[in-house]
C-alpha cells in the first residue's frame, strides 16, 4: 500500500469537505448531549453520536461539491476547488458520499430506534440543500436548518425523546449559520445574478442582506440569553454569551466583500472562536459553577 498516496487523498478529502468547519456544529451538539444526559453521556452514545455527526456532515459537504461543480468551475472565487482542478475525480467523491451516508445510517442505528428511523429523513434533508440556491433565496436559512440537526440529533441520541431545549439550540444554530452564510454570499452577488442563482445578497442587495444577517445574529443572541433563564444557568454562561456577542459585532464590523481574506475571517474564523467560547463557558457553567 502506498501510504503517501493514502495520506495525500485523505488530506484532499479533508479539504474538500472543509473538515475544520466541524467546529460550527460539534460544540452545540456537545452542549445538547450534556444537558440531555445531565452530565457526560455514555461512551457508546458519545462515540456513535460523533461518528454520525461527522459522517453526515462529510457526506453532505461532498455532495454539495458534486452538485455545484459546474458553477465552481465558472466562478473565479471557487475555480481552485478540488473538482474544478481535477485534484479529485467525480467518481471518487461520489463513492465518498455513499460511504459517509452509509456510516451515518449505521451510527444512527447504534444509538436508538428514533435515530434509526429519522436517519433516512436526515439524509434527504441535508442532500436537498445543494439544490436550494437554484430556486429560493431562503437557501441560507435552509443550510442553517440542516446544520441545526446536530444539537437536535445529539439530544435524540441521548434520550430518544423530543424536548424544547434542543429545538431552541437548533434555532440558534440555524440563525447563526444563516447569518454568516449571508455574509459570505455577499462576495458572489454579481456571479449569482448572472447565473440565475438565488441568495439573499443577490436578491435584496448588499446593504439589505447585511442588515438581515445582523437581525439573524441578534435573534440568535436573544435565544441564547433565554436559555440562561430556561436552563437556570449561571454567570459563567453569561460571560461566554457576552464574549460571543462582542465577537459577532466585530464580525459585522470588518465585512468587506472585495477582500476575500478578511471575509474568511468574518465568515469562518471568528465563528469558530464563537462556538468554542460558548461551549467552553457552558460546560464550565454546568460542571463547575451551577
Amino acid at each position: 500500500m502506498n501510504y503517501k498516496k493514502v495520506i495525500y487523498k485523505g488530506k484532499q478529502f479533508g479539504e474538500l469537505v472543509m473538515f475544520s468547519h466541524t467546529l460550527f456544529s460539534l460544540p452545540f451538539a456537545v452542549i445538547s448531549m450534556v444537558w440531555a444526559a445531565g452530565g457526560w453521556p455514555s461512551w457508546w452514545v458519545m462515540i456513535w453520536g460523533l461518528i454520525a455527526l461527522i459522517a453526515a456532515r462529510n457526506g453532505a459537504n461532498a455532495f454539495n461539491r458534486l452538485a455545484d461543480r459546474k458553477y465552481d468551475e465558472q466562478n473565479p472565487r471557487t475555480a481552485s476547488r478540488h473538482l474544478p482542478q481535477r485534484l479529485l475525480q467525480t467518481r471518487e467523491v461520489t463513492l465518498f458520499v455513499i460511504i459517509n451516508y452509509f456510516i451515518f445510517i449505521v451510527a444512527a442505528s447504534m444509538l436508538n430506534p428514533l435515530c434509526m428511523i429519522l436517519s433516512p429523513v436526515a439524509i434527504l434533508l441535508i442532500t436537498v440543500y445543494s439544490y436550494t440556491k437554484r430556486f429560493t433565496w431562503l437557501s441560507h436559512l435552509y443550510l442553517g436548518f440542516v446544520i441545526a440537526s446536530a444539537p437536535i440529533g445529539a439530544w435524540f441520541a441521548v434520550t430518544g425523546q423530543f424536548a424544547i431545549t434542543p429545538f431552541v439550540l437548533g434555532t440558534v444554530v440555524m440563525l447563526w449559520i444563516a447569518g454568516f452564510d449571508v455574509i459570505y454570499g455577499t462576495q458572489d452577488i454579481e456571479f449569482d445574478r448572472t447565473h440565475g442563482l438565488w441568495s439573499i445578497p443577490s436578491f435584496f442587495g448588499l446593504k439589505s442582506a447585511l442588515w438581515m444577517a445582523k437581525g439573524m445574529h441578534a435573534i440568535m443572541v436573544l435565544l441564547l440569553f433565554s436559555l440562561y433563564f430556561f436552563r437556570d444557568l449561571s454567570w459563567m454562561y453569561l460571560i461566554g454569551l457576552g464574549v460571543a456577542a462582542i465577537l459577532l459585532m466585530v464580525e459585522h464590523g470588518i465585512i468587506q466583500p472585495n477582500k476575500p481574506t478578511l471575509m474568511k475571517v468574518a465568515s469562518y474564523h471568528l465563528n469558530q472562536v464563537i462556538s468554542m467560547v460558548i461551549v467552553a463557558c457552558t460546560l464550565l457553567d454546568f460542571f463547575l459553577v451551577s
Side-chain angles (χ1 to χ4, degrees), residues 27-28 30-32 34-35 169 224 227 231 233-234 236-241 274-290:
F28 288 94
V30 170
I31 292 171
S32 186
V34 168
W35 282 352
L169 275 176
L224 283 171
L227 287 171
R231 299 290 309 178
L233 303 173
S234 77
M236 179 60 71
Y237 175 83
L238 288 180
I239 289 177
L241 179 55
I274 287 170
S275 63
M276 295 308 296
V277 166
I278 291 175
V279 71
C281 289
T282 302
L283 294 182
L284 286 172
D285 172 278
F286 186 89
F287 288 108
L288 298 180
V289 180
S290 297

Side-chain angles (χ1 to χ4, degrees), residues 55-231:
R57 187 196 170 281
N58 285 348
N61 274 30
F63 185 84
N64 181 249
R65 291 293 177 259
L66 285 171
D68 282 353
R69 63 188 182 278
K70 292 182 180 179
Y71 293 111
D72 286 345
E73 288 175 353
Q74 300 172 60
N75 188 340
R77 187 180 63 79
T78 57
S80 61
R81 287 178 175 173
H82 295 73
L83 285 173
Q85 290 296 312
R86 308 296 189 268
L87 297 174
L88 291 168
Q89 300 301 313
T90 299
R91 63 178 181 276
E92 292 178 312
V93 179
T94 301
L95 181 60
F96 182 79
V97 172
I98 294 170
I99 291 172
N100 275 278
Y101 280 172
F102 176 75
I103 292 172
F104 169 67
I105 292 174
V106 171
S109 301
M110 291 292 178
L111 291 166
N112 55 57
L114 179 61
C115 290
M116 179 181 67
I117 292 169
L118 291 178
S119 60
V121 178
I123 288 176
L124 176 63
L125 291 175
I126 61 180
T127 301
V128 165
Y129 161 70
S130 296
Y131 297 101
T132 54
K133 209 174 179 184
R134 273 75 159 172
F135 60 87
T136 177
W137 50 263
L138 291 171
S139 56
H140 311 278
L141 284 163
Y142 189 89
L143 173 64
F145 166 72
V146 296
I147 296 178
S149 63
I152 296 171
W155 188 281
F156 290 165
V158 174
T159 68
Q161 299 176 348
F162 288 86
I164 294 175
T165 295
F167 286 96
V168 175
L169 275 176
T171 305
V172 165
V173 171
M174 180 183 74
L175 293 171
W176 176 47
I177 297 291
F180 71 72
D181 192 56
V182 168
I183 292 172
Y184 196 68
T186 59
Q187 299 173 96
D188 293 329
I189 290 177
E190 294 307 320
F191 180 86
D192 289 348
R193 287 173 176 170
T194 301
H195 291 80
L197 295 175
W198 292 65
S199 70
I200 285 178
S202 66
F203 190 83
F204 292 97
L206 177 61
K207 289 185 178 180
S208 295
L210 292 179
W211 275 110
M212 292 172 77
K214 288 178 182 177
M216 292 175 195
H217 286 162
I219 297 172
M220 164 205 169
V221 171
L222 289 175
L223 286 174
L224 283 171
F225 186 61
S226 73
L227 287 171
Y228 168 74
F229 301 99
F230 186 70
R231 299 290 309 178

